[in-house]
Amino acid sequence: MRHSRLAICAAGTAVAVGAVVTGIAVSDGSSSKASKVGYSDNAARQAAPATGQATDGTAAAQYKWGKPLRVENFSGKAVNKKDWELYDDPGKDKPGGEKTKRRPKQAAVKNGILTITGLANGWSEGMAWHKGIRKYGRWETRVRATKGCGCYHPVLLLWGESKPAEVDYMEDIQDPNRKHPNFFLHYGNDQQLQQQVKVDLTKWHTFAVEVTSTQVNGYVDGKRWFHTTKSNAIPRGTLAPTIQLDWFPGDTRTHTGGSMQVDWIKLYKA
C-alpha cells in the first residue's frame, strides 16, 4: 500500500473475471468497496490464481520496449539520496492497520543489491524514485523476499502524485512463505481491481507494470497476468514508483522480522 506523504488508500476484496493471456490468467473484472487493509486470505483467492514461470525473462524483452529511459542498478555503497526519497516516519495515525515505522537505516545497498530490512518491532523502510516519475510509462523491477513474518508486506507500487490512484504491481500479504503476490489497482472511492499469481518470491523474479491512457497491464517474468481497460480505473495523473516493506502487526499474533531485495528498477516509455 502507499505510504508516502500522500493520503493512504486502503485495500479490500474484489471479484475478478478471469481471462487467459499468454498462458496466465488475468483480471479485468468488477471491484467492490474496500474493507480494512490486510484482508483475509480467502478473499484474495476469489481471483483464480495464475502461475508464473521462474525464468530470467523480462516484459521489456518479450514486448520489445526498447532502451530504458532510466535505470537504477544500486551500484553505489548506499542509496543515492539525489534520486530517491527515503521515508522517515514514526508510524503514528495510519489507517487500515498499517503501523510501519520508517527510517533510512533500514535500507542498505551492497554488491549492487538494495535490501530493506524490517524488524520485529515494526521498524522498516520505503523509498520513492524521483527519476522514475511519469504520467504514462512502463516500469520493471527485479525483486525477491525472504521468508518471514506474514505481518510484513513486500510491495512494489506506483502512487499518484496529483490524483487519487495507486497501482500495486507486486504486493505479498499475510504470506510468511512469500508464494502468492498480488496486483491491486486502487481507484475512485476505495474501489479496486485485483489478481493473484503463484510465484516463489524467495527467488529472483521480474515484475513489470504498464500504464497508458487506455489500459493497465501487469507482468511477471515477461508474462502478462493482469489487464484492464476499465476507463475510470486508469490513473490520470503522474505516478511515482516506490519500493516498500510494510508492517501490519494485526495480521499475525506473533511478530518477527522480514526483508526484501531489489536488483534493479527500470523505466520505459509507454
Side-chain angles (χ1 to χ4, degrees):
M1 297 299 102
R2 173 175 57 213
H3 303 302
S4 69
R5 293 168 295 181
L6 303 183
I8 298 174
C9 182
T13 61
V15 178
V17 178
V20 177
V21 179
T22 62
I24 289 185
V26 298
S27 168
D28 191 9
S30 61
S31 64
S32 65
K33 289 278 187 176
S35 64
K36 74 179 184 69
V37 174
Y39 60 86
S40 72
D41 201 46
N42 287 335
R45 285 164 177 75
Q46 289 178 4
T51 300
Q53 301 298 315
T55 71
D56 292 330
T58 65
Q62 177 69 25
Y63 293 93
K64 303 184 187 306
W65 288 350
K67 184 178 179 179
L69 300 176
R70 297 282 188 271
V71 177
E72 173 60 82
N73 287 317
F74 300 106
S75 57
K77 295 182 179 180
V79 176
N80 184 344
K81 294 183 180 180
K82 292 182 179 180
D83 295 344
W84 292 86
E85 175 191 352
L86 292 166
Y87 302 166
D88 201 342
D89 177 6
K92 296 181 179 180
D93 302 321
K94 294 176 184 281
E98 194 268 329
K99 303 293 184 183
T100 318
K101 298 177 285 186
R102 302 187 188 277
R103 59 188 180 189
K105 67 182 292 183
Q106 299 308 126
V109 171
K110 185 177 180 180
N111 297 327
I113 302 293
L114 165 73
T115 301
I116 298 179
T117 302
L119 305 181
N121 61 4
W123 280 109
S124 185
E125 184 56 314
M127 46 197 280
W129 192 27
H130 297 307
K131 285 194 172 182
I133 294 174
R134 196 171 177 85
K135 184 176 182 180
Y136 300 124
R138 296 159 171 156
W139 295 261
E140 189 156 32
T141 309
R142 189 168 188 253
V143 63
R144 68 181 178 185
T146 60
K147 292 182 180 181
C149 185
C151 59
Y152 269 110
H153 301 178
V155 193
L156 302 173
L157 69 148
L158 309 174
W159 50 258
E161 290 200 305
S162 57
K163 293 184 179 181
E166 179 180 334
V167 187
D168 304 303
Y169 63 102
M170 190 288 290
E171 181 173 12
D172 191 64
I173 330 178
Q174 296 179 329
D175 182 12
N177 293 320
R178 310 302 185 211
K179 295 293 181 76
H180 299 96
N182 301 271
F183 190 110
F184 293 106
L185 175 55
H186 299 280
Y187 67 98
N189 184 22
D190 290 337
Q191 294 176 292
Q192 72 174 30
L193 299 177
Q194 167 194 346
Q195 183 63 28
Q196 186 178 88
V197 65
K198 185 178 180 181
V199 164
D200 184 358
L201 277 179
T202 66
K203 300 178 181 178
W204 289 109
H205 292 275
T206 60
F207 286 83
V209 58
E210 176 181 38
V211 180
T212 74
S213 61
T214 59
Q215 62 183 312
V216 176
N217 295 301
Y219 306 87
V220 58
D221 297 328
K223 295 181 180 295
R224 189 169 75 170
W225 64 293
F226 178 91
H227 169 72
T228 187
T229 57
K230 189 178 179 69
S231 60
N232 63 337
I234 295 172
R236 301 302 177 187
T238 54
L239 298 165
T242 80
I243 302 167
Q244 299 178 185
L245 183 61
D246 297 345
W247 189 55
F248 288 79
D251 284 0
T252 58
R253 291 184 179 181
T254 60
H255 301 140
T256 57
S259 70
M260 66 182 295
Q261 293 185 311
V262 173
D263 187 5
W264 48 256
I265 180 171
K266 300 177 182 180
L267 166 66
Y268 299 83
K269 183 179 179 180

